[in-house]
Amino acid sequence: MSLNDGLVADLSFERCVIGKTTTVNNMYLKFFYRIRNGFAHGKYCLRLSENNIKMVIIQDNDKYNVTGRIVIRLSTLLNFINEIDINNLIN
């Protein structure tokens, strides 16, 4: 997945790795939980891909280990928000 320690070099595709750290079995809840933690703890950065696509790199970690790394297009993340925002607070 090219999500080793250090700076993520390849921003050409979206991907994520989520560690087995919770008892929650729902993969979507785990994914969104990691996104939430990355933003809440300031473990994210915005970068442009080689094709000038805005990408968000998010990392979540516990006390000792990285528990999730995510590379996602900013547009994908905004689409998630629009779908989940049942009260239309964003528009």
Side-chain angles (χ1 to χ4, degrees):
M1 291 290 226
S2 300
L3 292 174
N4 301 334
D5 286 344
L7 191 64
V8 176
D10 184 5
L11 299 175
S12 62
F13 64 102
E14 297 176 296
R15 61 207 183 272
C16 73
V17 174
I18 306 294
K20 291 185 177 184
T21 56
T22 65
T23 58
V24 176
N25 291 324
N26 186 313
M27 65 181 171
Y28 299 107
L29 288 178
K30 286 182 183 182
F31 176 67
F32 289 120
Y33 180 76
R34 299 295 172 215
I35 290 173
R36 178 258 176 228
N37 281 356
F39 282 117
H41 298 287
K43 300 264 184 165
Y44 67 93
C45 68
L46 304 171
R47 293 187 37 210
L48 287 175
S49 72
E50 293 174 3
N51 297 328
N52 283 331
I53 297 171
K54 295 174 185 173
M55 304 295 283
V56 183
I57 303 164
I58 304 166
Q59 179 171 305
D60 184 26
N61 40 297
D62 61 17
K63 194 172 186 180
Y64 304 104
N65 301 301
V66 173
T67 56
R69 283 193 123 187
I70 302 163
V71 176
I72 191 169
R73 286 184 186 105
L74 179 60
S75 61
T76 301
L77 192 56
L78 293 173
N79 285 336
F80 286 151
I81 293 168
N82 284 331
E83 288 299 318
I84 295 169
D85 182 22
I86 61 173
N87 295 320
N88 282 329
L89 296 175
I90 301 300
N91 292 327

